Amino acid sequence: MPRTLRSSLALWAGTALASTVFTNSALAQAVGITDINTGSYSNAYGVSADGSVVVGQYFDGSDNHAFRWTLAGGTVDFGAGLNAFAYATNSDGSVVVGTFPVGNAHQAFRWTQAGGAVNLGTLNGNVNSTAYGISGDGSVVVGGTDTQAFRWTQAGGLVGLGFLSGGQYSVAYGISTDGNVVVGGATNAARQEFAFLWTQAGGMVSLGHLNGGTVSEARATNADGSVVVGDATDGSVGNSYRAFRWTQAGGMVSLGTLNGGTSFAYAVSSDGSVVVGSANDGSNQGISRAFRWTQATGLITVEQWLRNLGVTIPTDVTARAYGVSADGNVVVGTLNNNHAFIARSTVGVTPATPATTPAQPAAAPAGFVATAGLMDVVNFQASLAGTPRTAPQLQTGDLILNGSHSSPLTTLLAPGRSSVWTAGDVAVAGGGGGLDAGSGLGEGGIAHGFEHGVTVKFGVGGLSSRTPLALGGASNTTGTYVVPEASMLFGPGLVATATGYLAWGCADIRRGYLNATSLDISFGSTATLTAGARARLDWQDALRFGRTGFSPYASVTYLNTRIDGYTETGGSFPVRYDASQENSTVARIGGDALTPLTKQLGLVTRLEYAHRFERTGAATTGQILGLSNFAFDGANVRQDWGRAGLGLRYRLGCGDGLIMVNTSNQTSRNLTWVSASYRVVF
């Protein structure tokens, strides 16, 4: 019997293989370049032409599920039943084929959104069937039954493709874009295995063996069926396996090896000029390497292909290449660490035409040129999802409204009195390993007291923050903000305060990632805008313990931040980020205790509990230029945290102020900041 279909077939830019359950974390969330794993493990077997739809199988611990993944819907078990596998999809991803259980058997299915998974049946005398390939428009399906290759159409149903000269087994793996050419493997009467090519006019034709070998099998064909690739035993080298490329004129030709090892071809470009697969390195303990073959270069590793283009790759990292783009410039597969990879050569100038549907990758900007590189998908997707874009603006806004502005009781003025003040906050979020984040702000303002216990304030300031990222990256933001505020004393010790906030500025983001094993950097810059408000209620000296007065408070803060879209420059895999926005709604309850120490000094202690109502942050969407769209769900955010503070109220000269050290577990970095303010009343 022929060898079984190898697991993990074609991968594309929208595919990353993983072995852990998907979680909403700083690592990749589903979509685009993505971790599409849903259960204990998963495999992506087929992909649409534009990379927007991926199909495959995931295991949930007890059963296999066929899945279909899209940019809009994420990973969906599309109802093919338990122990089902999806193996291929058509060009636009609207039709999926595979196999699902029927009683004690498994049979081929064809799925559409309108009709669901429809059983294609099997051939007379056979119980099982599996669909492995599909034409570009989805109208033709190929595969195999227990014994015979088949071709299915709506008009003709499931039709056997026959056998080779008295053989008893055949299976179809590949099909041309127009559905007229089918390739696979079959046995003859002597049970020898042959690669075959089938057409309506010529039927099933053996492609022969390689230099007198004994086994051959076809895995894929190019767009028009004129070039076939696969693997065969080579009789000239003791029947060792060799990747082959077949044409009508040249017959079956070995593509060679890496230092005398074995090789296997899995995919071919649209015109048949580029072949990719895996080759065991005969001089390096037979370690598997992804290869790319052309007539000019012969069989070389993907790493050597990139080195020839000027990419620095100190050590080889690929294992297998499963897919190649239509033009042969993009190769995808699996690394030695079982991460998916995407490798590409230089991309030339690309017209800036829009995508035809939201699910398709947008064109790269006019004039875009990408250098050659090799992307570890898991590492790269972590750099995309782990680049903070809205979070720094929210954290700075929260710091402003609940740092120096967190004690309205100290700023109330009698009617007719005015004041000027200056204030600032410096914060550090310790991450260890030299990855400490920091932010700072400074402001000045004026206030005036009115009748009925009303005090109105207006402040203006500047802000700056820095968040270090992995692999030499960093996010730096600068900006200007205004803070209008009104407080009213409306009962014995009761003060209501309303505060507004508007900030605008710029974010400069340096994103680091690996190009093969070397560090690469892409840069971006964009505008930011944050607006918000806070409502707060304080009860001054609601309780007294000796000389100490305890003043409880409650507040609700709302912030909305937006960062404009931008396109990175530099690096081998720059991306275009879409505009993004995020909301933060936080309720706080707490209390300040003031203990006079001297006439000029008072000790202030603060305890606070906070709850954020949103569960996740902003989604991240965009496009890897020249490759694929990506989208990551917002990461889970901390919803509950505490804050503690210790400070001094003081009188100095003709003014008074407050300096306070605060700590909070609001972020995983253990946020600590110092707030200081000083005012003069006149």
Short mmCIF file of all heavy atoms in Angstrom, two decimals, residues 396 438-441 462-466 477-479:
data_model
loop_
_atom_site.label_atom_id
_atom_site.label_comp_id
_atom_site.label_asym_id
_atom_site.label_seq_id
_atom_site.Cartn_x
_atom_site.Cartn_y
_atom_site.Cartn_z
N THR A 396 -1.06 56.69 31.47
CA THR A 396 -0.64 58.06 31.78
C THR A 396 -1.84 58.91 32.17
O THR A 396 -1.78 59.69 33.13
CB THR A 396 0.08 58.69 30.58
OG1 THR A 396 1.20 57.87 30.23
CG2 THR A 396 0.56 60.08 30.91
N GLY A 438 8.77 53.59 32.43
CA GLY A 438 8.69 54.81 33.21
C GLY A 438 7.85 55.85 32.53
O GLY A 438 7.66 55.83 31.30
N SER A 439 7.31 56.78 33.32
CA SER A 439 6.56 57.90 32.78
C SER A 439 6.70 59.07 33.72
O SER A 439 6.98 58.92 34.91
CB SER A 439 5.08 57.54 32.59
OG SER A 439 4.49 57.18 33.83
N GLY A 440 6.51 60.25 33.17
CA GLY A 440 6.60 61.46 33.96
C GLY A 440 5.71 62.53 33.39
O GLY A 440 5.39 62.53 32.19
N LEU A 441 5.27 63.46 34.25
CA LEU A 441 4.44 64.56 33.80
C LEU A 441 4.67 65.74 34.71
O LEU A 441 5.05 65.61 35.87
CB LEU A 441 2.97 64.15 33.79
CG LEU A 441 2.37 63.71 35.13
CD1 LEU A 441 1.64 64.87 35.81
CD2 LEU A 441 1.42 62.54 34.93
N GLY A 462 2.62 68.71 30.40
CA GLY A 462 3.26 67.85 29.42
C GLY A 462 3.53 66.48 30.00
O GLY A 462 3.67 66.33 31.22
N LEU A 463 3.57 65.47 29.14
CA LEU A 463 3.75 64.10 29.60
C LEU A 463 4.74 63.37 28.71
O LEU A 463 4.94 63.71 27.54
CB LEU A 463 2.40 63.36 29.63
CG LEU A 463 1.63 63.25 28.31
CD1 LEU A 463 2.01 61.99 27.53
CD2 LEU A 463 0.13 63.25 28.58
N SER A 464 5.31 62.34 29.28
CA SER A 464 6.25 61.49 28.56
C SER A 464 6.25 60.11 29.19
O SER A 464 6.14 59.99 30.42
CB SER A 464 7.66 62.08 28.59
OG SER A 464 8.60 61.23 27.96
N SER A 465 6.33 59.08 28.35
CA SER A 465 6.41 57.72 28.89
C SER A 465 7.26 56.86 27.98
O SER A 465 7.38 57.12 26.78
CB SER A 465 5.01 57.10 29.04
OG SER A 465 4.44 56.80 27.78
N ARG A 466 7.85 55.83 28.57
CA ARG A 466 8.66 54.88 27.82
C ARG A 466 8.35 53.48 28.30
O ARG A 466 8.38 53.20 29.50
CB ARG A 466 10.15 55.15 27.97
CG ARG A 466 11.03 54.19 27.16
CD ARG A 466 12.52 54.49 27.34
NE ARG A 466 13.32 53.70 26.43
CZ ARG A 466 13.70 52.43 26.67
NH1 ARG A 466 13.32 51.84 27.80
NH2 ARG A 466 14.43 51.77 25.79
N THR A 477 6.19 57.75 24.16
CA THR A 477 5.12 58.69 23.89
C THR A 477 5.41 60.02 24.55
O THR A 477 5.96 60.08 25.66
CB THR A 477 3.76 58.16 24.40
OG1 THR A 477 3.83 58.01 25.82
CG2 THR A 477 3.43 56.82 23.78
N THR A 478 5.04 61.09 23.87
CA THR A 478 5.12 62.44 24.42
C THR A 478 3.82 63.15 24.09
O THR A 478 3.14 62.79 23.12
CB THR A 478 6.31 63.22 23.84
OG1 THR A 478 6.20 63.23 22.40
CG2 THR A 478 7.63 62.59 24.22
N GLY A 479 3.47 64.15 24.89
CA GLY A 479 2.23 64.85 24.62
C GLY A 479 1.98 66.02 25.52
O GLY A 479 2.77 66.33 26.43
#
